[in-house]
Amino acid sequence: MAKESTKRKASKKTTSENPTASPEELLQHYNDMLLIRRFEEKAGQLYGMGLIAGFCHLYIGQEAVVVGMQAAAKEGDSVVTSYRDHGHMLATGMEAKGVMAELTGRRTGYSKGKGGSMHMFSREKNFFGGHGIVGAQVPIGTGLAFAHKYKEDGGVCMAYFGDGASNQGQVFESFNMAALWKLPVVYVIENNRYGMGTSVKRASSNEELFSRGGAFGIPGVSVDGMDVLAVKEAGAKALEHARSGKGPYILGMQTYRYRGHSMSDPAKYRSREEVSKVRSERDPVDRVRQYILDANAADEDALKKIDADVKAVVSEAAEYAQQSPEPDLSELYTDILVEA
Amino acid sequence: MANQVLMPALSPTMTEGTLAKWLVSEGDAVQSGDVIAEIETDKATMELEAVDEGILGKIIVAEGSEGIAVNTPIAVIIEEGEDASAIEVSAPEPVAPATAVAEPAPAAAQPEAQIAAPISEEAYTGSTTSMTVREALRDAMAEEMRTDDTIFLMGEEVAEYQGAYKISQGLLEEFGEKRVIDTPITEHGFTGLSVGAAFGGLRPIVEFMTFNFAMQAMDQLINSAAKTLYMSGGQMGCPAVFRGANGAAAGVAAQHSQCYASWYAHVPGLKVISPYSGEDAKGLLKSAIRDPNPVIFLENEILYGQSFDVPDADDFTIPIGKSKIERSGTDVTLIAYSIMVGVALEAAETLASEGISAEVINLRTLRPLDIDTIVTSIKKTNRVVSVEEGWPVANIGSEIAAITMEHAFDYLDAPVSRVCGEDVPMPYARNLEAAALPNTEKVVTAAKAVCYR
Ligand SMILES: Cc1ncc(C[n+]2csc(CCOP(=O)(O)OP(=O)(O)O)c2C)c(N)n1
Ligand SMILES: [Mg+2]
């Protein structure tokens, strides 16, 4: 089980010993994670073709984190994250078509083509972005939690941020306020080992990022972020803690980013072997696939069918994103202020 | 089914690249995610990963080929059992490249340095080398660091990664980790630390990956760096340089595309520089490092890769507070800084073909502004157009308008005109982004308007 940070022992990965999930749940997780993976691969391709501009940060390798958390979340919970956001949007139920069309800057995108990869939102799905400034989403997520508490709507905010972001001053200011006011927020640190080209070891004096709430009395645990069931289990506990009025909780997801930081990262700071080792030994999609086969939840044919369905959704999204028209020039001056 | 592998765009500014090496051969099996080739871009060597799985059926572009345009088919991946010889190589689909950003002004549009205003480079008769703005900035830092060991460079990814935009290439190797320091992503913290180090007798160069992130550090920049000399009655100054990319980049939307020039130019206690060419970059950065005050040094990402002739001499510097007349003319004065100098020069070319002689001033320093050069030019041409990427309200053009009123009111034949970024956050979509920024056409139109043509 997860280790409470107050004990401050080694930051060993914690994996659920006996993952329990129904066959339907397992298949759903597989589907959701695969959708993110295939979507991101397609986005990478479209970027390569010059159809996506600027920065494009892929989530490949980290799929289990957001899928596991969403599996534990309840209707009405809110989500906020960084620029590495495509996976979060898909996991909160936003449509692949609309996300891809935003990536290609078209009027049918979630931000009408005005936000791009790093800035997308869906009020309907309680997804509050998509933020380009490292760490900015942490106080924003704390504020979403403030609103949940104020409105007494029973919701919890999941504020996702990276290992690099965890060093930003505003993170600690947020921790203090969240603990002080017992705000219903779960801080999900996606520790993918690097902030751009800087490893955690080179940026953080205490590598056990999940323990950083200690000074504020915020419990934190380390979680195997490559195992969707471990994430779901830890997420459920953290969300329950926050929902019941006990205040914030920190989850340190041990995960890994397979691709470069953005599309233009030559990734010289880590070895090819390091990446292939994680891919072959800890891949989150392979893992859930194995769970399914071990539990006889489905056979290879059924999985192939899911593969094909997911591929179709992604192809359709890519097609839509290329066929949709650019925004009308009149959009340049819309959405700047709300008409009073 | 056969899938073509296309030459990918591996950065926001890449349009072509070199296929450096194939890591697989025809007939090899590939998995999605396998590295199949190495590609050299303008910035780095990148690995190309396969996105489809299958067999590498055919290599279309041989290794070592240079100048391969983005989207050119370079190989074909086939399914097991498929016949490679049956592959037809179809032409690439015509898709717009990601960087539909207007090709920046060619260096050729830059007139000879002799026309320049009276500044020290006038006297320079030594040799020059063509180099990119990126290299000029690096050389300026390296040369100064060699002469003064209190100078150090600090910022995100400046050391081991060689700079997010490769400006600090080679500096870690030459100066070691004591003087070239990677920081955590804590702008407010390391800016404050650098201010303290400057108070303590060191000369920090702080690199902001881009100035968008310096907003996190705004309090330390204004309240500590700029004001302390004054508050201490002149006892404690802050000899530091805060540098990085400013202004619009390509396709990175509102939070990563903003010009902060007028924000900093507003603040007493700071010097603010915004170079255009390689010579500007080198000569001004050296002056900034030597200056005993806090200097905000606003670079431009799109200019980093452009080449200019740069004086070789180690002691070549450009004075702070002096602008440069890049092109002389008699009918209208175009005043610009940073990348917009290139746009103004292009506009001057077009105007010349229509019989209007435009003088182009490259401001170089935004605080203190070179009022003399501006006013002298306006007294000659009687018409002025300012050109900048910043938003219209309270921008540098507003200041130029005010200066013109104060110093040359009686010489004006037309109201001052400002060409600037549209008054909106930067949109992502390519067409909207282009519409939001100034361009040659907008400058030409404005210049004609003040000439009543
Ligand atoms: C305040 C700020 N500083 C710097 C950047 C540039 N930047 C973008 S992402 C990044 C690394 C962040 O790493 P991490 O928090 O670990 O997230 P990951 O990218 O690994 O998901 C940096 C330095 C930024 N966007 N905002
Ligand atoms: Mg990270």
Side-chain angles (χ1 to χ4, degrees):
Chain A
M1 243 319 293
K3 242 176 219 120
E4 294 281 339
S5 69
T6 26
K7 292 176 200 142
R8 286 294 300 274
K9 290 234 196 78
S11 65
K12 265 189 49 203
K13 286 169 264 112
T14 53
T15 306
S16 191
E17 311 266 312
N18 308 302
T20 47
S22 69
E24 294 73 37
E25 285 171 324
L26 284 174
L27 289 171
Q28 190 64 49
H29 299 336
Y30 178 68
N31 179 81
D32 295 350
M33 289 164 63
L34 197 67
L35 175 64
I36 296 175
R37 173 132 333 160
R38 295 286 173 260
F39 181 95
E40 294 292 64
E41 285 168 355
K42 182 60 83 179
Q45 261 175 310
L46 296 188
Y47 191 95
M49 291 163 65
L51 288 162
I52 295 173
F55 298 138
C56 182
H57 309 85
L58 302 183
Y59 196 60
I60 298 177
Q62 302 179 214
E63 298 91 343
V65 177
V66 76
V67 169
M69 286 304 296
Q70 280 305 116
K74 290 212 166 95
E75 180 86 32
D77 289 349
S78 53
V79 173
V80 68
T81 187
S82 72
Y83 44 82
R84 197 177 301 287
D85 53 0
H86 312 160
H88 301 72
M89 294 188 279
L90 296 174
T92 51
M94 289 167 68
E95 281 186 39
K97 278 159 63 173
V99 178
M100 199 68 98
E102 188 61 35
L103 296 184
T104 54
R106 306 303 165 98
R107 66 176 64 167
T108 50
Y110 269 101
S111 300
K112 304 182 201 162
K114 292 157 83 167
S117 162
M118 299 187 286
H119 316 292
M120 265 183 259
F121 308 81
S122 168
R123 192 165 268 294
E124 188 201 338
K125 300 293 178 193
N126 279 325
F127 179 73
F128 291 87
H131 296 269
I133 303 300
V134 168
Q137 74 273 29
V138 182
I140 293 171
T142 308
L144 289 165
F146 183 90
H148 283 305
K149 180 166 179 177
Y150 195 98
K151 295 191 290 188
E152 297 176 25
D153 64 9
V156 177
C157 177
M158 286 160 275
Y160 293 83
F161 54 101
D163 46 283
S166 71
N167 294 317
Q168 276 282 18
Q170 50 189 327
V171 171
F172 298 94
E173 298 181 23
S174 301
F175 284 177
N176 184 47
M177 289 186 283
L180 185 66
W181 296 326
K182 296 223 178 320
L183 303 180
V185 54
V186 175
Y187 296 110
V188 186
I189 305 179
E190 299 200 56
N191 183 348
N192 59 11
R193 309 313 303 165
Y194 298 90
M196 258 185 185
T198 305
S199 65
V200 174
K201 192 165 24 171
R202 296 181 53 238
S204 301
S205 59
N206 165 12
E207 288 182 60
E208 297 186 350
L209 305 178
F210 63 91
S211 74
R212 295 233 179 134
F216 308 93
I218 305 176
V221 297
S222 175
V223 183
D224 181 353
M226 306 300 267
D227 178 355
V228 70
L229 298 184
V231 172
K232 186 164 72 171
E233 189 180 11
K237 196 177 152 196
L239 285 162
E240 169 51 28
H241 175 97
R243 212 182 301 280
S244 68
K246 293 188 193 139
Y249 203 97
I250 299 173
L251 297 174
M253 299 291 175
Q254 308 302 327
T255 182
Y256 200 77
R257 134 169 92 62
Y258 290 3
R259 297 294 186 94
H261 167 73
S262 174
M263 298 306 294
S264 47
D265 173 10
K268 292 286 178 252
Y269 45 82
R270 62 182 186 188
S271 66
R272 254 288 107 201
E273 294 70 58
E274 180 183 309
V275 184
S276 7
K277 194 165 148 61
V278 179
R279 291 177 80 116
S280 60
E281 293 174 8
R282 296 179 60 207
D283 186 76
V285 179
D286 286 351
R287 182 112 159 224
V288 73
R289 208 167 193 279
Q290 202 52 53
Y291 282 148
I292 291 171
L293 295 175
D294 290 351
N296 281 324
D299 58 13
E300 289 279 0
D301 281 349
L303 292 176
K304 280 225 168 85
K305 163 109 176 51
I306 295 181
D307 296 358
D309 290 349
V310 163
K311 220 171 182 172
V313 170
V314 170
S315 300
E316 192 199 348
E319 196 58 29
Y320 181 78
Q322 291 174 72
Q323 298 310 327
S324 296
E326 288 190 311
D328 194 82
L329 271 185
S330 63
E331 282 292 341
L332 188 58
Y333 271 96
T334 61
D335 306 321
I336 295 165
L337 292 173
V338 176
E339 293 300 330
Chain B
M1 204 195 70
N3 280 308
Q4 288 190 345
V5 182
L6 304 179
M7 182 73 172
L10 295 168
S11 83
T13 45
M14 171 174 171
T15 53
E16 55 167 51
T18 298
L19 209 165
K21 200 167 169 196
W22 280 107
L23 301 171
V24 286
S25 324
E26 288 180 0
D28 286 359
V30 291
Q31 293 283 328
S32 115
D34 284 357
V35 180
I36 56 173
E38 280 180 8
I39 296 195
E40 276 166 23
T41 72
D42 51 341
K43 279 187 227 156
T45 302
M46 308 271 301
E47 293 174 336
L48 172 65
E49 293 178 5
V51 260
D52 299 298
E53 53 188 32
I55 310 282
L56 190 74
K58 195 182 204 124
I59 288 178
I60 304 171
V61 174
E63 65 181 32
S65 310
E66 289 175 22
I68 309 299
V70 163
N71 277 329
T72 310
I74 55 174
V76 178
I77 291 182
I78 54 174
E79 269 173 29
E80 214 152 335
E82 222 175 328
D83 181 10
S85 60
I87 298 165
E88 268 181 53
V89 179
S90 61
E93 279 172 45
V95 276
T99 48
V101 180
E103 195 57 31
Q110 216 200 355
E112 301 295 60
Q114 290 87 281
I115 314 168
I119 46 176
S120 67
E121 68 200 278
E122 270 289 83
Y124 187 81
T125 51
S127 61
T128 60
T129 302
S130 170
M131 62 171 78
T132 59
V133 169
R134 172 179 288 125
E135 292 162 334
L137 292 166
R138 190 261 325 273
D139 286 0
M141 290 193 282
E143 286 171 17
E144 295 305 302
M145 288 176 82
R146 280 175 208 133
T147 62
D148 179 351
D149 63 13
T150 63
I151 302 170
F152 67 91
L153 172 67
M154 173 173 268
E156 292 158 22
E157 311 289 353
V158 297
E160 292 200 2
Y161 199 82
Q162 312 287 316
Y165 295 101
K166 297 285 172 277
I167 305 301
S168 50
Q169 192 113 42
L171 296 185
L172 172 66
E173 200 184 358
E174 178 172 355
F175 299 103
E177 56 189 29
K178 179 179 173 199
R179 297 181 66 194
V180 182
I181 304 154
D182 279 328
T183 64
I185 312 167
T186 54
E187 285 83 1
H188 196 200
F190 68 73
T191 301
L193 183 152
S194 297
V195 172
F199 289 169
L202 302 183
R203 289 182 163 265
I205 304 173
V206 175
E207 174 173 308
F208 292 119
M209 195 172 284
T210 75
F211 264 91
N212 302 287
F213 316 138
M215 290 230 276
Q216 305 258 327
M218 210 47 143
D219 177 67
Q220 289 290 356
L221 290 172
I222 312 300
N223 273 322
S224 307
K227 297 179 182 172
T228 300
L229 182 71
Y230 191 79
M231 296 187 299
S232 67
Q235 295 174 66
M236 208 186 287
C238 179
V241 177
F242 302 95
R243 49 157 291 270
N246 173 63
V252 293
Q255 292 184 335
H256 286 73
S257 268
Q258 184 176 339
C259 176
Y260 291 90
S262 76
W263 294 46
Y264 293 107
H266 184 65
V267 183
L270 296 179
K271 291 190 178 180
V272 184
I273 295 173
S274 191
Y276 161 59
S277 64
E279 148 191 317
D280 286 5
K282 184 164 178 202
L284 285 164
L285 183 53
K286 286 167 71 87
S287 296
I289 294 169
R290 293 178 192 186
D291 198 276
N293 294 288
V295 180
I296 306 288
F297 198 86
L298 304 168
E299 300 157 9
N300 181 286
E301 187 198 328
I302 294 167
L303 289 175
Y304 282 153
Q306 288 190 34
S307 294
F308 295 87
D309 286 337
V310 178
D312 293 323
D314 271 15
D315 54 4
F316 172 81
T317 59
I318 292 177
I320 297 174
K322 277 283 176 195
S323 57
K324 175 181 177 186
I325 296 174
E326 296 276 356
R327 175 182 177 122
S328 58
T330 50
D331 298 334
V332 56
T333 301
L334 308 179
I335 305 182
Y337 58 91
S338 188
I339 193 167
M340 286 298 135
V341 174
V343 171
L345 285 168
E346 268 181 4
E349 221 23 75
T350 308
L351 289 165
S353 69
E354 302 185 27
I356 295 174
S357 159
E359 179 148 301
V360 177
I361 299 181
N362 168 6
L363 284 175
R364 287 184 163 173
T365 302
L366 304 176
R367 182 186 187 95
L369 266 180
D370 182 0
I371 297 176
D372 275 357
T373 302
I374 296 171
V375 170
T376 307
S377 176
I378 295 173
K379 285 182 177 172
K380 176 171 73 170
T381 64
N382 314 113
R383 297 174 161 93
V384 57
V385 176
S386 68
V387 188
E388 69 189 297
E389 281 183 352
W391 288 313
V393 179
N395 65 10
I396 300 293
S398 312
E399 183 61 18
I400 289 170
I403 287 171
T404 308
M405 301 290 266
E406 288 162 4
H407 299 273
F409 183 69
D410 291 334
Y411 293 83
L412 282 182
D413 284 345
V416 175
S417 171
R418 295 182 298 155
V419 176
C420 37
E422 296 294 324
D423 201 10
V424 301
M426 186 64 73
Y428 167 73
R430 235 167 255 150
N431 62 334
L432 298 184
E433 184 186 52
L437 288 167
N439 57 27
T440 310
E441 202 186 317
K442 291 180 187 177
V443 178
V444 168
T445 305
K448 283 186 182 166
V450 297
C451 292
Y452 303 111
R453 292 264 304 261

